[in-house]
């Protein structure tokens, strides 16, 4: 699936829920399906700076596609990173770099997060894109 197709699926999924209580529960459930980071990558180097909670992200490249794994010590944050990884994992670095994150506004996520979690969300997106830039540089 392309990034756009995945984003559209996420927008449709969130539209099914009546209120934010249900959407938070759905995010928590998504966090439970997150491809977990290997214990060896749960290091200071892989912690996303700017997040109130601890969020570890690791990236690898296989067949010119970036594969992300992650974990967090907070259930909502784990759900947020799960959504981002669902969108960006198994994609070509250039597609990740070029992708916009408008779906976050469309599902209303940013407006329903505390300011510190919203900052953490921005930090997560930046870090995922930085990995993509690093891998794209290797491909050039």
């Amino acid at each position: 699936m392309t990034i756009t197709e995945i984003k559209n699926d996420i927008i449709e999924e969130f539209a099914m829920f009546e209120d934010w209580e249900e959407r938070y529960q759905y995010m928590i459930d998504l966090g439970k399906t997150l491809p977990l980071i290997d214990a060896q990558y749960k290091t200071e180097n892989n912690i996303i700076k700017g997040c109130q909670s601890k969020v570890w992200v690791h990236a690898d490249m296989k067949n010119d596609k970036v594969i992300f794994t992650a974990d967090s010590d907070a259930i909502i944050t784990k759900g947020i990173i799960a959504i981002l990884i669902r969108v960006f994992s198994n994609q070509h670095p250039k597609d990740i770099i070029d992708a916009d994150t408008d779906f976050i506004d469309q599902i209303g996520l940013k407006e329903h997060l505390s300011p510190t979690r919203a900052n953490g969300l921005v930090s997560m997106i930046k870090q995922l894109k930085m990995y993509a830039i690093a891998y794209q540089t290797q491909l050039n």
Side-chain angles (χ1 to χ4, degrees), residues 38-115:
D38 194 287
Q40 69 178 342
Y41 300 120
K42 275 182 129 176
T43 63
E44 278 299 311
N45 289 344
N46 290 331
I47 287 181
I48 294 181
K49 312 293 182 252
C51 286
Q52 183 179 14
S53 309
K54 285 193 173 165
V55 181
W56 298 269
V57 173
H58 175 70
D60 227 337
M61 190 158 68
K62 291 182 184 143
N63 303 321
D64 294 345
K65 297 203 173 178
V66 183
I67 314 295
F68 292 106
T69 55
D71 198 4
S72 176
D73 62 355
I75 56 172
I76 293 287
T77 308
K78 197 170 184 171
I80 294 167
I81 194 66
I83 291 169
L84 296 175
I85 284 181
R86 183 171 155 197
V87 172
F88 294 127
S89 199
N90 294 303
Q91 301 293 335
H92 191 278
K94 178 129 180 53
D95 295 335
I96 297 168
I97 295 163
D98 293 343
D100 61 49
T101 52
D102 57 342
F103 75 99
I104 291 168
D105 292 330
Q106 290 178 27
I107 63 174
L109 182 56
K110 212 182 256 183
E111 69 192 65
H112 286 90
L113 294 177
S114 66

Side-chain angles (χ1 to χ4, degrees), residues 1-12 86-88 91 95 98-100 102-103 106:
M1 288 180 79
T2 67
I3 288 176
T4 301
E5 290 168 336
I6 296 167
K7 290 190 307 185
N8 288 339
D9 281 355
I10 291 169
I11 291 166
E12 282 179 31
R86 183 171 155 197
V87 172
F88 294 127
Q91 301 293 335
D95 295 335
D98 293 343
D100 61 49
D102 57 342
F103 75 99
Q106 290 178 27

